[in-house]
Amino acid sequence: MLGDAELRHADLVLTSSPSARHLFRARFRLVGSQLAARRYVLIAPRLKTMDNGNACYVDHALRVRCDGEGPQPEISPFGHFVVANVSGHMLSRLVVEHEYTNCRVRVQPRTAANPKEIVPVQDLSPEERANNLADDYQQVEQLRSLLSSQGLERGKGERDIAYAVRLGKALANGYKYDVEATDAHLANLPPMIFKLRCGDCSAFNAGFVFALHAFGIPARISLGFKYGKAVKQACGSVVAPHAQAEFFAEGIGWIPCDATLGLKRLGHDPSSVLSFVQWRPAALSLAEAEEQAQLMAALPADPVAESKLLSKELQEALGKPYVATKDLAVAFARARGLEQDVAVAVVRQVVQLSGICGGEEKQSDESAAVSVEDFVRSWAAIELGKFKELGVGAGLTASSKAGVKMYEGGPYSGEPLDVKKLKENMMVQDDIERVMGHLGKSELEKVDWCTMWPYGVFLVSYEFEEKALP
């Protein structure tokens, strides 16, 4: 870990260098007495790579296939995921493969870095900023107050990375790992770790991420698997579900880290002994949600569907593409059925988090003009980024639990599927009881998953292989 002086003042950069080529294979077994459905729609996430802001992976090859000879799944590639139409008779031969070049990622002084390994800093769009700073505006104030009462508020002029490290290190002092405490607070994790001082990896990293949001630092929760020889030795499983975090430090970029039981290092150091693969962030970006709507028709309460209706209503009410924020707040209140003071607070939050007005002075100026379309898209990005139970949701969001998601129904043929006609399958890691037992979960007996879900339940088994770099 860098020293305090370096964190406060040094010219720091993010570096990334290829470390290993890793391959995951997932196979599927339908459990219980239920027969296979005639058709399934399978969704597998693409890893974020260097090209779109994740320095941990140079590339990612995603393959959905069947072993041996015979019919193969019909594949429809999207930008953020892959969709496959799978027949029920293919299940016993079905394989999903994720192959990627894993990188060692570090934060270091520019003078010590290999210039060829320095990761260029990407600018965040207004939508990205809004999505990765999102929270309910009232909950933000409560979380700031809670953190301040514990001496964990951000200091005036404190650098992004210096505050993130100070906050993360504080989670090592007087906190304990407790899976069952997290289970009791799944819908409201962000403040839990600071109130109860206990939780699992989800609670530690959710608290860390939303504390950073509260003090103006973009951050996101990473959902995926820990894997390697150390995991196998500890709990007898190839993989273990895990949550980590990333935060965006101005002038440096997206920094991966793990706040569980306190931040001990910055970066990503993969090996066959122990590594982490991020299937995806916990929250959908607006671009991901819009692409998912091409696969599954957005429900009326979905932010993508709501944003289209809101854009139409605001354009009709205001009659021009750019308006003062005070006029926007009046129209927004009417469109959303809100009290005026609430609408003003929401508009102010959207403008501040997205930066669509420019500098801080303009953000507080009610006469400053903003683009109605930029406002609506930033509002939708915030709605998507607000905390929800991790890994719960439709399609791409749910794929974070197993690296794949399946539904009975379909096939997908280029037009959005009706979500109401799809039957969601439960995806369970084959040896999850061993993992939870290792983590201190009290119920160690085999679970009859079929009694917990109305449709098909798949046990997913994983194989891991390390390859030489090309």
Side-chain angles (χ1 to χ4, degrees):
M1 184 74 78
L2 296 164
D4 290 345
E6 289 177 308
L7 291 168
R8 288 196 300 266
H9 306 298
D11 180 12
L12 300 176
V13 296
L14 196 69
T15 61
S16 177
S17 57
S19 176
R21 187 80 177 163
H22 287 175
L23 171 64
F24 262 106
R25 290 189 188 90
R27 301 180 188 273
F28 309 89
R29 179 166 59 91
L30 190 62
V31 299
S33 59
Q34 187 169 0
L35 298 176
R38 183 182 175 191
R39 297 191 192 94
Y40 294 88
V41 176
L42 180 151
I43 305 168
R46 295 188 189 274
L47 301 188
K48 290 182 178 293
T49 62
M50 195 87 71
D51 290 339
N52 43 35
N54 191 333
C56 297
Y57 313 110
V58 173
D59 51 39
H60 175 227
L62 175 55
R63 297 180 287 270
V64 182
R65 61 175 181 80
C66 286
D67 283 336
E69 298 180 356
Q72 293 291 322
E74 299 173 358
I75 308 299
S76 297
F78 286 77
H80 297 96
F81 53 90
V82 163
V83 174
N85 292 322
V86 178
S87 299
H89 62 78
M90 296 179 181
L91 292 178
S92 62
R93 301 186 298 120
L94 183 63
V95 180
V96 175
E97 293 182 331
H98 293 272
E99 186 171 352
Y100 48 93
T101 301
N102 224 333
C103 297
R104 184 185 187 196
V105 179
R106 292 188 295 170
V107 179
Q108 53 188 319
R110 186 180 297 274
T111 53
N114 181 340
K116 294 180 180 179
E117 296 178 355
I118 296 175
V119 179
V121 182
Q122 296 185 346
D123 293 329
L124 297 185
S125 70
E127 293 167 22
E128 288 176 303
R129 288 192 62 82
N131 186 247
N132 292 292
L133 285 168
D135 202 351
D136 181 271
Y137 73 93
Q138 293 174 319
Q139 292 179 3
V140 168
E141 294 303 323
Q142 295 170 6
L143 187 53
R144 283 177 186 158
S145 178
L146 176 62
L147 291 164
S148 296
S149 71
Q150 299 178 13
L152 295 177
E153 72 276 19
R154 186 178 184 180
K156 185 177 181 180
E158 189 171 15
R159 195 179 184 185
D160 296 345
I161 191 170
Y163 174 63
V165 170
R166 180 166 66 86
L167 174 71
K169 283 184 174 181
L171 293 171
N173 302 319
Y175 292 79
K176 65 178 183 178
Y177 197 94
D178 190 330
V179 176
E180 294 182 347
T182 299
D183 287 348
H185 297 82
L186 290 175
N188 192 31
L189 284 186
M192 173 198 144
I193 199 68
F194 300 107
K195 289 181 178 180
L196 303 184
R197 303 180 76 83
C198 64
D200 67 1
C201 58
S202 300
F204 276 95
N205 284 285
F208 176 73
V209 162
F210 280 84
L212 294 181
H213 286 196
F215 289 102
I217 300 174
R220 55 199 181 201
I221 304 165
S222 302
L223 300 179
F225 286 160
K226 272 190 173 180
Y227 62 94
K229 295 174 185 176
V231 175
K232 184 73 173 177
Q233 183 176 3
C235 60
S237 173
V238 175
V239 301
H242 190 58
Q244 293 194 176
E246 296 175 280
F247 66 92
F248 187 85
E250 203 67 41
I252 301 172
W254 283 107
I255 301 174
C257 61
D258 187 354
T260 306
L261 291 174
L263 191 63
K264 300 171 181 64
R265 64 180 177 86
L266 299 174
H268 178 69
D269 197 6
S271 71
S272 60
V273 175
L274 184 64
S275 190
F276 173 72
V277 59
Q278 181 204 87
W279 294 132
R280 55 164 294 95
L284 287 177
S285 69
L286 184 55
E288 289 171 333
E290 289 175 330
E291 190 171 58
Q292 181 174 273
Q294 298 174 34
L295 170 65
M296 297 177 171
L299 297 174
D302 184 275
V304 172
E306 286 190 324
S307 67
K308 291 180 180 179
L309 178 60
L310 178 61
S311 179
K312 180 181 178 182
E313 291 176 340
L314 292 181
Q315 295 284 2
E316 289 176 352
L318 296 165
K320 49 188 177 182
Y322 289 85
V323 296
T325 55
K326 61 180 180 180
D327 298 328
L328 180 58
V330 172
F332 183 72
R334 291 173 180 166
R336 300 291 297 171
L338 301 174
E339 295 292 333
Q340 188 59 38
D341 60 335
V342 175
V344 168
V346 173
V347 169
R348 183 183 298 121
Q349 182 198 38
V350 173
V351 169
Q352 289 176 344
L353 298 191
S354 64
I356 54 176
C357 264
E360 291 186 14
E361 292 183 4
K362 288 187 177 180
Q363 290 174 17
S364 58
D365 182 359
E366 291 187 343
S367 64
V370 298
S371 162
V372 175
E373 189 61 25
D374 286 349
F375 168 81
V376 171
R377 292 186 65 79
S378 296
W379 170 82
I382 289 173
E383 292 301 304
L384 288 164
K386 288 180 179 179
F387 181 81
K388 303 172 186 68
E389 187 175 334
L390 300 183
V392 174
L396 189 55
T397 301
S399 71
S400 62
K401 287 193 172 182
V404 66
K405 186 64 179 175
M406 292 175 69
Y407 294 83
E408 296 169 18
Y412 174 71
S413 56
E415 295 296 324
L417 296 166
D418 185 346
V419 178
K420 296 178 181 178
K421 294 182 180 180
L422 297 174
K423 297 178 180 179
E424 181 181 356
N425 296 121
M426 179 186 281
M427 317 299 291
V428 181
Q429 181 183 330
D430 196 2
D431 44 12
I432 190 63
E433 291 90 354
R434 291 184 188 175
V435 177
M436 299 314 294
H438 172 71
L439 295 175
K441 188 86 170 183
S442 58
E443 308 92 43
L444 302 183
E445 70 276 5
K446 277 285 184 180
V447 177
D448 185 359
W449 298 103
C450 294
T451 63
M452 302 171 60
W453 200 251
Y455 309 119
V457 177
F458 284 97
L459 291 183
V460 188
S461 59
Y462 299 92
E463 303 163 11
F464 165 65
E465 180 181 340
E466 183 167 281
K467 296 183 172 183
L469 289 171

